[in-house]
Amino acid sequence: MRRARIWRRIGIALFVAVVAFTGYQAVRTVSTAIYWRAHRDEPIERWMTIGYVAHSYHVRPHVLHDALGLAPAPDHRPLGQIARARGQSFDQVAATLNDAIVHVRPPYPPSERGPPPSPAPLSTAPSPSGPDARR
């Protein structure tokens, strides 16, 4: 009887731990979603990293790395440091990134209905003829 009580307490403790962990992850997920929804297309500033700019503008980081002539490996330096290392002003680096973003993103807002339907391909099969053909 005493052993059953210990296992019950262990089970309850594990259940509480799982519920607490799940709640923590849910709060983190919701707060991250709210943060990035409010921080879309932010003006580029010195403190931002390439990853932050890529996330804010919904472009792949390698596009911005290529625009700046950097290796495709993750670079966690702020843009101000990258500009200094390149011997450029921050405004030049920001203009380069903005140009890359403009050229990689589509020129129109995404449609709620999805892309327009593509025309049906023309069939190259011969049309049936004879008694089975419909008119």
Side-chain angles (χ1 to χ4, degrees):
M1 179 121 165
R2 194 162 186 80
R3 188 172 224 170
R5 194 178 290 171
I6 291 172
W7 282 110
R8 179 181 289 168
R9 287 185 181 179
I10 289 173
I12 290 171
L14 286 174
F15 177 74
V16 169
V18 167
V19 168
F21 180 75
T22 303
Y24 170 74
Q25 292 298 329
V27 168
R28 267 186 66 202
T29 301
V30 169
S31 65
T32 300
I34 290 170
Y35 178 84
W36 282 112
R37 182 148 176 94
H39 291 88
R40 277 191 260 173
D41 296 348
E42 278 197 33
I44 297 175
E45 296 183 27
R46 292 179 193 279
W47 60 267
M48 295 179 175
T49 63
I50 290 177
Y52 187 95
V53 174
H55 198 97
S56 178
Y57 283 87
H58 298 283
V59 298
R60 300 223 179 253
H62 75 85
V63 171
L64 303 180
H65 284 269
D66 290 346
L68 293 176
L70 299 172
D75 192 346
H76 300 289
R77 296 179 296 168
L79 295 176
Q81 274 186 355
I82 292 173
R84 238 178 289 125
R86 293 178 53 133
Q88 294 180 322
S89 71
F90 169 74
D91 293 332
Q92 290 172 319
V93 169
T96 302
L97 292 176
N98 278 323
D99 189 49
I101 290 166
V102 165
H103 284 85
V104 79
R105 287 171 74 177
Y108 50 85
S111 171
E112 291 181 13
R113 293 181 289 161
S118 59
L122 297 174
S123 175
T124 57
S127 62
S129 60
D132 293 335
R134 289 189 179 200
R135 294 184 188 184

